Amino acid sequence: MSEVIRILHVLGNTQLGGAESRIMDLYRHMDRSRVQFDFLVHTNEKGHFDEEIKELGGQIYRVPRFRLYNYFSYKRALKEFFKLHHDFRAVQGHITSTAAIYLPIAKKAGVPVTIAHARSAGVDKGAKGRLTRWMRRNLSKKTDYMFTCSRLAGISVFGKKAVRDGKTIFIPNAIDCQAFAYDEKIREQMRERLGIRDQYVIGHVGRFHYAKNHEYLLQVFANLCNGGKLKDNLINDIGSQGEKRRDYVLLLLGEGSGMEDAKRLAEQLGIAERVRFLGNQNPVYDYYQAMDYFVYPSRYEGLPGTIVEAQASGLRCLMSDSICEEVAATELVHRMSIEKEAGEWAAYLERTADYTRRSFAKEMQEAGFDVSVQTEKMTAFYETGEWK
């Protein structure tokens, strides 16, 4: 029996985020007698997936979080780590802001293959974003492979030239499609559990962060609830003449630093009683069953796995046109600019609210978004070090 090879994934933490969830989906389906995952995280805090990682046979290592002022101590910590731990077949860096630091260190320590994995098509606003762009400027020259979840993510992280020259490799954010397949019985059970009867449920899954644009989502939802007739003229009229078409509820799954601001805005808009802040939920797939429409007005994304999940469950989706086209794999998805008034989004939702729901799991599998297909490709890559 050949020795198990180990792959080190570099992350900020092991909480319930998009990149972390996609890696765990892959890890669960991997033949762990052949390939094992370990994790290098930039926190001392326990993560959501820590116990599961250990149960699956993975190790979790920790280094300090990078701050500009600790550049030298950060670099020293990584040198010390890879001096002791260099027997990985590959290091796959999902934190691309500092990948130009840790990937060359891993390579010099003897790791055969280094991978930078672009999972976002934007950066934070302000000085932090400018610093991220500056630190990525030469990343394409400091890694063996450049993985990207979308063309926009590849351009954002590695630059237009690397994408244009075909040096990046598209790796779709794959899920267990069948787990999200629409099921009427589960839908009824979840809606009863959530106390939802005849309401029409707008859904969103994502951390409360600038990129996700929750403030715009809440404004869209306020239009649906109030027909555009809001106090203080916070929202423009959508032409509904003040009539409520449906009894709407908004389910927000996720956590993050912007949650309290979102709660305050919901109060200001007079919709707090209709908005459910459900926090992180795992497993999440049953919550999609309870929804009727999925709305995602992100400012930027890599390739949101949530849109993949929503499509597999047969949900009609309205998303920002700043999100990559690759994720729109079925006719369920419509893209719209967030430069439009929130009322225009609300009007579109009202016009398209009625449809016959069914599972699209098979269509998403055939489109290449199923984790079982990706597991085979990634196993072959990890074992050979060559992408075929």
Side-chain angles (χ1 to χ4, degrees):
M1 187 178 197
S2 59
E3 185 179 353
V4 177
I5 63 172
R6 305 194 77 91
I7 308 299
L8 182 70
H9 290 273
V10 184
L11 294 162
N13 54 56
T14 51
Q15 299 295 4
L16 195 60
E20 295 82 2
S21 295
R22 299 291 77 80
I23 296 166
M24 291 303 297
D25 282 340
L26 186 66
Y27 192 18
R28 295 181 191 109
H29 288 80
M30 192 72 63
D31 181 348
R32 293 182 296 279
S33 68
R34 296 166 63 186
V35 179
Q36 260 292 351
F37 286 177
D38 294 318
F39 297 80
L40 180 64
V41 298
H42 291 66
T43 180
N44 286 321
E45 296 180 5
K46 183 178 180 179
H48 178 88
F49 292 115
D50 282 11
E51 292 304 319
E52 184 179 3
I53 288 169
K54 293 173 184 177
E55 289 173 2
L56 293 174
Q59 299 290 326
I60 301 172
Y61 304 99
R62 303 180 187 277
V63 292
R65 183 179 177 184
F66 176 78
R67 312 280 189 180
L68 184 59
Y69 62 79
N70 73 341
Y71 172 82
F72 293 105
S73 60
Y74 176 77
K75 193 171 182 179
R76 186 165 55 251
L78 286 160
K79 286 182 176 179
E80 291 173 356
F81 172 79
F82 282 110
K83 183 179 180 180
L84 294 173
H85 307 281
H86 52 260
D87 294 330
F88 303 106
R89 178 64 60 88
V91 174
Q92 189 166 343
H94 306 274
I95 295 186
T96 55
S97 57
T98 57
I101 298 175
Y102 61 76
L103 290 181
I105 292 173
K107 190 75 173 180
K108 189 174 181 179
V111 177
V113 177
T114 58
I115 309 152
H117 198 146
R119 291 187 175 273
S120 177
V123 296
D124 290 339
K125 58 184 177 180
K128 184 177 180 181
R130 292 193 294 272
L131 176 61
T132 296
R133 287 194 180 95
W134 183 81
M135 293 188 67
R136 287 173 174 170
R137 70 196 188 285
N138 294 319
L139 179 55
S140 63
K141 301 175 182 177
K142 296 185 176 182
T143 183
D144 296 321
Y145 287 94
M146 291 177 277
F147 286 177
T148 177
C149 64
S150 69
R151 181 175 178 275
L152 290 177
I155 291 172
S156 176
V157 175
F158 303 119
K160 291 181 180 179
K161 188 176 187 304
V163 175
R164 185 177 61 246
D165 294 348
K167 294 182 178 179
T168 59
I169 298 171
F170 173 56
I171 309 289
N173 284 344
I175 66 168
D176 182 352
C177 292
Q178 199 55 47
F180 290 87
Y182 180 60
D183 187 307
E184 184 68 29
K185 185 176 181 180
I186 295 176
R187 172 180 169 82
E188 292 175 1
Q189 292 172 347
M190 284 301 297
R191 287 173 72 94
E192 182 177 354
R193 173 180 164 186
L194 293 167
I196 297 170
R197 298 188 181 277
D198 299 324
Q199 292 101 323
Y200 193 93
V201 179
I202 305 297
H204 182 277
V205 180
R207 65 191 175 114
F208 286 80
H209 179 269
Y210 171 78
K212 303 300 181 184
N213 206 6
H214 280 87
E215 61 270 29
Y216 190 86
L217 173 59
L218 289 168
Q219 289 172 354
V220 171
F221 184 70
N223 268 284
L224 288 171
C225 295
N226 297 280
K229 304 288 187 178
L230 294 183
K231 58 184 179 180
D232 302 325
N233 297 317
L234 286 168
I235 311 286
N236 289 341
D237 183 64
I238 64 174
S240 61
Q241 290 147 5
E243 297 296 326
K244 281 194 301 183
R245 201 171 100 80
R246 300 170 190 274
D247 186 6
Y248 288 104
V249 174
L250 176 61
L251 298 186
L252 299 177
L253 279 73
E255 297 177 356
S257 59
M259 182 184 283
E260 293 306 314
D261 288 340
K263 289 181 178 179
R264 283 191 289 271
L265 180 57
E267 290 281 356
Q268 292 170 16
L269 294 172
I271 56 174
E273 292 184 359
R274 294 177 178 272
V275 182
R276 308 274 189 89
F277 292 85
L278 300 181
N280 288 334
Q281 299 293 332
N282 188 42
V284 71
Y285 35 78
D286 286 352
Y287 287 84
Y288 286 94
Q289 309 294 336
M291 300 173 187
D292 295 299
Y293 217 123
F294 198 73
V295 183
Y296 223 70
S298 294
R299 291 183 169 93
Y300 59 85
E301 292 280 351
L303 188 150
T306 50
I307 299 293
V308 178
E309 294 168 350
Q311 287 177 88
S313 72
L315 277 174
R316 190 164 277 181
C317 304
L318 177 60
M319 72 178 194
S320 162
D321 64 2
S322 64
I323 298 174
C324 65
E325 294 181 359
E326 293 98 318
V327 75
T330 71
E331 66 267 26
L332 292 170
V333 179
H334 181 75
R335 302 167 81 231
M336 187 175 288
S337 172
I338 55 176
E339 297 301 316
K340 293 181 179 292
E341 296 289 345
E344 294 189 48
W345 278 56
Y348 180 84
L349 289 170
E350 286 198 340
R351 289 196 306 271
T352 59
D354 293 318
Y355 64 101
T356 301
R357 180 110 175 248
R358 68 171 180 84
S359 174
F360 274 70
K362 183 178 179 181
E363 285 87 340
M364 296 307 289
Q365 288 172 333
E366 292 173 349
F369 288 97
D370 192 73
V371 70
S372 60
V373 175
Q374 190 176 111
T375 299
E376 293 179 10
K377 291 183 177 180
M378 293 305 297
T379 298
F381 169 70
Y382 290 142
E383 289 183 332
T384 64
E386 296 181 4
W387 185 261
K388 298 178 181 179

